[in-house]
Amino acid sequence: MKALSLLTLLPLAAAAPTNTLAARGLTVPTGPVPETVRVVGVSLLGSGCPAGTADVQIDATKTLLEVTFSEYIVQTGPGTKAADWRKNCKLTLNMEFDEGFSFSTLATDMSGFAQIPAGSRGLCTNTFDFTGISGQSYYSIALPGEREGPFTLSADPDVVSWSPCGVTTAILNMNTQCNISPTRDPALIAITVNVSLAWRKCE
């Protein structure tokens, strides 16, 4: 199962659709956004994102942040070990943008590939916070079996936290974790994370 899944995984995961707020029937923020938004620094830590294995992009609207992973693959079953059953990545993003704005993580989507038998369950969680600001946004997405193929699942935060005003940079911390249980049956998850950003003008 392991060799076959890894051979077929990447093209299917890449083909998974990017899920936008509009496609989900949710309200898309229509307020002003900065003309310039850049990721000027990326730090990676965790079993799911060794150095150089994550790519971060911001779309042209400045409202969608996409993080793709090349090594974030969770697997269970014969031949796997404890390090395969659970993966995590702490991603620290140094964001630079025009003066007078603040932003938050409005929603998060996970897309990718899952191969999960009946009786098994995958679970992915995301937390976001800003360095120097109290408060944390938390998201949870479940992948119950039986399923095989590309997926896109969405979640909204339980608490919304905003970056500080009065600055042109903010450090956004994302900590994502995925696991599969039970671990005896063959199963697999690989993910891409899409984060919808909301902007507001600072007073």
Side-chain angles (χ1 to χ4, degrees), residues 100-183:
F101 285 90
S102 177
F103 74 96
S104 70
T105 59
L106 186 65
T108 186
D109 299 337
M110 283 190 175
S111 59
F113 182 88
Q115 186 176 4
I116 302 175
S120 293
R121 181 176 186 267
L123 179 65
C124 295
T125 60
N126 265 333
T127 57
F128 294 87
D129 64 77
F130 295 98
T131 298
I133 298 292
S134 61
Q136 188 177 73
S137 301
Y138 174 85
Y139 306 78
S140 179
I141 292 175
L143 283 161
E146 179 179 9
R147 66 191 307 147
E148 180 171 355
F151 71 88
T152 300
L153 295 175
S154 306
D156 301 321
D158 55 352
V159 175
V160 174
S161 179
W162 290 86
S163 67
C165 283
V167 296
T168 58
T169 61
I171 297 177
L172 175 63
N173 304 300
M174 181 184 87
N175 200 334
T176 181
Q177 178 176 280
C178 291
N179 66 79
I180 301 172
S181 61
T183 60

Side-chain angles (χ1 to χ4, degrees), residues 18-201:
T18 297
N19 196 9
T20 65
L21 290 176
R24 291 162 52 189
L26 299 178
T27 300
V28 180
T30 57
V33 299
E35 289 187 10
T36 303
V37 180
R38 296 190 303 153
V39 177
V40 295
V42 178
S43 176
L44 303 171
L45 180 65
S47 58
C49 57
T53 64
D55 180 65
V56 181
Q57 299 289 333
I58 296 177
D59 80 337
T61 70
K62 317 297 193 299
T63 61
L64 185 66
L65 180 73
E66 182 179 66
V67 185
T68 56
F69 302 94
S70 60
E71 299 293 330
Y72 203 128
I73 300 171
V74 183
Q75 296 184 90
T76 58
T80 63
K81 53 188 182 297
D84 302 319
W85 305 338
R86 180 188 302 269
K87 297 286 185 178
N88 77 292
C89 179
K90 182 175 182 181
L91 189 69
T92 301
L93 305 176
N94 190 347
M95 306 276 288
E96 185 177 84
F97 45 89
D98 297 338
E99 186 176 1
F101 285 90
S102 177
F103 74 96
S104 70
T105 59
L106 186 65
T108 186
D109 299 337
M110 283 190 175
S111 59
F113 182 88
Q115 186 176 4
I116 302 175
S120 293
R121 181 176 186 267
L123 179 65
C124 295
T125 60
N126 265 333
T127 57
F128 294 87
D129 64 77
F130 295 98
T131 298
I133 298 292
S134 61
Q136 188 177 73
S137 301
Y138 174 85
Y139 306 78
S140 179
I141 292 175
L143 283 161
E146 179 179 9
R147 66 191 307 147
E148 180 171 355
F151 71 88
T152 300
L153 295 175
S154 306
D156 301 321
D158 55 352
V159 175
V160 174
S161 179
W162 290 86
S163 67
C165 283
V167 296
T168 58
T169 61
I171 297 177
L172 175 63
N173 304 300
M174 181 184 87
N175 200 334
T176 181
Q177 178 176 280
C178 291
N179 66 79
I180 301 172
S181 61
T183 60
R184 63 179 181 275
D185 298 320
L188 178 147
I189 299 174
I191 64 166
T192 291
V193 178
N194 299 309
V195 184
S196 297
L197 303 178
W199 293 92
R200 68 183 181 185
K201 292 284 287 184

